[in-house]
Amino acid sequence: LIDTAPSYCRDMNDFHFGEHLVRRSLQALRVRPEDLIVATKAGMVRHGGKWTPCGTRAHLIESVEQSRQALGV
């Protein structure tokens, strides 16, 4: 089980930083995507350094897809 979120980042220009680290680790360990369970969180946007909620269907779908791509699964 991997618990992650696009907000695990260093700053506003670095979304998905944590997911990219996880991706490199999974690749190094040769973990197959089908052997994973990924829990991600979404529903926040960051404007001007401040996090605000955004729970629209379109945003949630986009965020999950971006996390999937960042993780390489």
Side-chain angles (χ1 to χ4, degrees):
L1 173 65
I2 296 171
D3 177 17
T4 188
S7 59
Y8 296 165
C9 57
R10 296 179 289 190
D11 59 38
M12 288 178 32
N13 302 313
D14 198 41
F15 293 123
H16 303 282
F17 176 77
E19 293 168 329
H20 289 174
L21 290 177
V22 169
R23 179 183 190 155
R24 287 190 290 185
S25 297
L26 294 173
Q27 289 172 337
L29 295 169
R30 298 184 179 170
V31 176
R32 299 178 312 167
E34 58 269 19
D35 293 334
L36 296 173
I37 297 174
V38 177
T40 190
K41 293 159 291 296
M44 300 294 285
V45 293
R46 192 171 182 180
H47 298 288
K50 183 177 180 180
W51 290 104
T52 55
C54 181
T56 66
R57 176 182 163 93
H59 174 73
L60 295 174
I61 291 170
E62 179 182 8
S63 292
V64 170
E65 178 60 23
Q66 289 173 351
S67 289
R68 188 189 68 75
Q69 290 176 7
L71 288 163
V73 297

